[in-house]
Every structure is written in structure tokens, then in C-alpha cells.
Amino acid sequence: MEYTQLGRTGLKVSRLVLGTMNFGPHTDEAGSHAIMDAALGAGVNFFDTANVYGWGENKGRTEEIIGSWFAKGGDRRDKVVLGTKVYGDMSADGNPWPNHNKISALNIRRSVEASLRRLGTDHIDIYQFHHIDRDTPVEEIWQAVDTLIQQGKILYAGSSNFPGWKIAQANEAARRRGSYGLVSEQCLYNLIERRAEMEVIPAAREYGLGVIPWSPLHGGILGGILGKAAGGGRRSAGMGAERLKQPGMRQRIQAYEDLLDKHGLEPGEVALAWLLTRPGITGPIVGPRTGEQLASAVRAVSLELSGELLAALEEIFPGTGPSPEAFAW
């Protein structure tokens, strides 16, 4: 497994991030433990979760599954760089009381304590804001974060789904306070969805944030969806099926799969490997439901893409161009 330094921190993390969003809803506790064991055995040391994972009435269940895995011992917790998130409504009925969601100082305090209990640990390595909060002053957020760092309950703060301007605002506010600021950003980024190249990734690189792309297969349609359906495998459904309906998308995906079939490569592995060639990227988040899916993702880390193949991918999925030149007419 390849490793890199997470932004401007001293943390060494794997270039593949284990996303746990399927633990509970789609993979039971025993299966989730097996995937985490396999990931750690393969050298994946960066695990990502969120307080809302488990969804619906089972919000928090994913953190509990990770906590029960840590409780098995074997230095599991010490070997993992653990990230979780705060923002979403944690009430079972979806009707929160005031201050029970988003990232006010009060909810940050409550949410950290609840996540620590579910995870069965005394600290969180990367505590991430799942979305921006337009109602809470950024100075209040940093005051809460600094307190948690002083208490040893978190090491660093990160963001998710932040626009470029919010990354800049947050880190400039941190600088004024003498706070450390954001060290990572999770953003939607893949071969199809490349808008992050315009401002989010440049802002992250300017401020020394590691970039952790989510949905690297764009809801599954970069994972060989057409070939699987034609071969009698799992048919496109849900998010993937809807995205295939976008104008010209099916044709682009067919060209993508035909290209990789010619090279004897797996589409999902190429989509992950492509992200690892992009400037500023720490590693993509994968959310395996099975051990086979994890093994495929691990193979992608050592997959080398030729210049010819990269150029062909660029023709099928052209990028936005560098910022600010891309904004010009």
C-alpha cells in the first residue's frame, strides 16, 4: 500500500480511504468487521465515517460497529487514522430540537461526546464538518474546536462539501485566532464530476489541505455498469440509473468501458487510479460492501495508467481547465 502525508499534518495515511457508509445498512456487523480486518491487513490505515451513518432510525449504528471492532483489541485503534463527521440531524424521527444539528458550538460539543461513546475511543483524529453551516459564526466553530483539541478529544479539524471560498474563510479566521485551521477537505470529485478542479482543489492546495474525493465511481456508473448489466450482473438502479439518463451520459460511459476493455482493465479500478494521478489528491474514499470490492480498490492503488490512456480518458471526460483561466471567455 502506498502512503502519503495528510496535508500539512504529520499523519501518514494510506492512499486509499476506507469509507464505512455501508456498515450497518448493507453489510452486517460481522461482515463489516471482516472488511476492516482485510483493509488493515492490506495496509489501509485511514478509516472514514460520520455520526449519521446507519441512517434513519439507525443513525450512529456505523460508529457503533467500528467501536465494537476496536474493542476486539490487537492495537486496532492505534493502527487507524480515524475520521468522523458532524452536522446532520441525529434525532430518530427527523425532527430535531434546536441546536441538535449543524455545527454550533453546543452541537459540536454534544456530537463529539456521542461519537466518542459509540466509537469506544478517547479521541478522533480528524473531526470533519459534513457541510457548511450558514447560521454559525466561523469564530464560534474554531473556539469549540480549539477547546476539543486542548482536551485531547480531537487532533485536527477537516471539512466536507465546502466551496473554495468557505475553505479560505475558515482558514483565514483560524489564522487570526492562532488556530491550526482545516487540514482536509472531502469533496465530490471523479472522472465525470470535475468542478472541484475550478476552486475547491486549488483552495485546498493553497491552504495545505489534503483532498479526499468521495463518490469516486460517481454513484457506480464508472464501475462498469453497462458491461455488468449486459453480462447479467447487477443492473443499474437508483442513483446510477438516474445519472445514465443525463444527456449523452450513456454514450460517454459506453466509450469509457470500450476503451478499458481494449486495454484489459477494470473500469472501477481505473476510475480510482485516475484520481491518484491528480494533483493534490490524498486518496479516494471507497465504500465496499464486500471483501471482493475492497480487494479491487486495493489493486487500483498500484495500477499505473499510461500517458496514452490518460489522454484518451481526458477526451471522454474533459476537465474544466485550470483556474482562473477556465473562467475566461
Side-chain angles (χ1 to χ4, degrees), residues 12 22 46 78 122 134 154 161 166 213 218 244 266 278 288 290:
K12 302 298 191 299
N22 286 315
F46 194 177
D78 291 339
D122 62 356
R134 294 180 174 87
I154 69 173
N161 304 303
K166 194 66 177 180
H218 204 58
L244 277 176
E266 290 294 325
R278 306 305 298 167
T290 67

Side-chain angles (χ1 to χ4, degrees), residues 120-134:
T121 186
D122 62 356
H123 75 283
I124 295 159
D125 299 309
I126 312 290
Y127 197 56
Q128 302 158 109
F129 310 125
H130 216 154
H131 295 279
I132 66 170
D133 182 354
R134 294 180 174 87

Side-chain angles (χ1 to χ4, degrees), residues 140-199:
E140 175 182 335
I141 295 168
W142 285 126
Q143 183 180 47
V145 166
D146 289 345
T147 298
L148 293 173
I149 291 173
Q150 291 164 6
Q151 293 172 341
K153 294 177 180 178
I154 69 173
L155 298 184
Y156 303 100
S159 59
S160 179
N161 304 303
F162 273 34
W165 67 267
K166 194 66 177 180
I167 292 172
Q169 181 194 55
N171 272 29
E172 289 300 327
R175 182 177 295 172
R176 290 192 296 271
R177 295 179 46 85
S179 303
Y180 203 62
L182 300 171
V183 301
S184 63
E185 160 62 17
Q186 288 192 19
C187 59
L188 175 60
Y189 184 44
N190 53 57
L191 269 165
I192 295 171
E193 176 50 77
R194 297 179 61 174
R195 286 177 292 180
E197 295 174 355
M198 298 284 281
E199 291 195 4

